[in-house]
């Protein structure tokens, strides 16, 4: 595990998990990450990302957003979270005013449920998967 330069997160957690693409780039945005670190500190429970940076090729393989989705800018993170912690995360993220995108996956296997946060400039968006 290699420190990413951001408290609470390793390079492995932030890097592209695609195969046959970029070889694991971790190009997280330097304005977005302090917001995530701040939220993590406030909430006091572990943020385990299921996905953070994705290179354009990997993103086009796994997301309808193609080669230009939020994850390709390093301004997005999917955080594994469920039940009461999911409520707390969503509530704190909205109230913070730091984020604009809220994607909710809260059905199926609890271990795979997540909330997507991003700070893509523009109007706020919320969706389910
Ligand atoms: Zn990649």
């Amino acid at each position: 595990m290699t420190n990413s330069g951001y408290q609470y997160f390793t390079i492995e957690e932030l890097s592209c998990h695609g195969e046959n693409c970029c070889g694991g780039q971790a190009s997280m945005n330097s304005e977005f990450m302090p917001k995530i670190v701040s939220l993590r500190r406030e909430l006091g429970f572990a943020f385990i990302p299921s996905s953070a940076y994705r290179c354009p090729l990997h993103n086009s393989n796994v997301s309808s957003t193609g080669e230009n989705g939020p994850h390709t800018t390093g301004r997005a993170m999917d955080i594994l979270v469920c039940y009461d912690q999911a409520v707390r995360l969503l509530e704190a993220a909205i109230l913070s005013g730091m984020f604009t995108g809220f994607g909710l996956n809260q059905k199926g296997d609890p271990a795979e449920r997540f909330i997507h946060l991003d700070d893509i400039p523009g109007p706020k968006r919320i969706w389910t998967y």
Side-chain angles (χ1 to χ4, degrees):
M1 299 293 241
T2 310
N3 193 295
S4 64
Y6 297 107
Q7 190 178 8
Y8 308 116
F9 297 99
T10 66
I11 282 279
E12 289 81 0
E13 288 175 321
L14 300 183
S15 63
C16 180
H17 295 158
E19 293 180 9
N20 303 314
C21 53
C22 63
Q25 285 182 35
S27 305
M28 293 304 287
N29 182 275
S30 62
E31 295 176 353
F32 175 74
M33 280 307 296
K35 299 176 182 178
I36 289 287
V37 167
S38 171
L39 188 67
R40 161 66 182 82
R41 182 176 299 125
E42 175 186 345
L43 286 169
F45 57 77
F47 281 13
I48 309 296
S50 60
S51 185
Y53 179 73
R54 294 180 197 150
C55 72
L57 177 57
H58 179 47
N59 200 70
S60 67
N61 288 335
V62 300
S63 170
S64 62
T65 58
E67 295 193 348
N68 298 303
H71 287 269
T72 67
T73 68
R75 288 184 172 275
M77 182 181 287
D78 297 345
I79 300 163
L80 292 171
V81 68
C82 61
Y83 302 132
D84 60 307
Q85 290 186 336
V87 178
R88 292 173 58 201
L89 177 67
L90 181 63
E91 180 178 44
I94 291 172
L95 289 175
S96 75
M98 297 188 296
F99 303 97
T100 54
F102 308 90
L104 310 180
N105 181 332
Q106 292 296 311
K107 61 188 177 188
D109 184 348
E112 295 181 3
R113 297 180 191 187
F114 64 87
I115 291 179
H116 164 114
L117 297 177
D118 69 52
D119 71 345
I120 302 300
K124 289 191 174 69
R125 300 153 288 126
I126 190 165
W127 64 92
T128 58
Y129 295 93

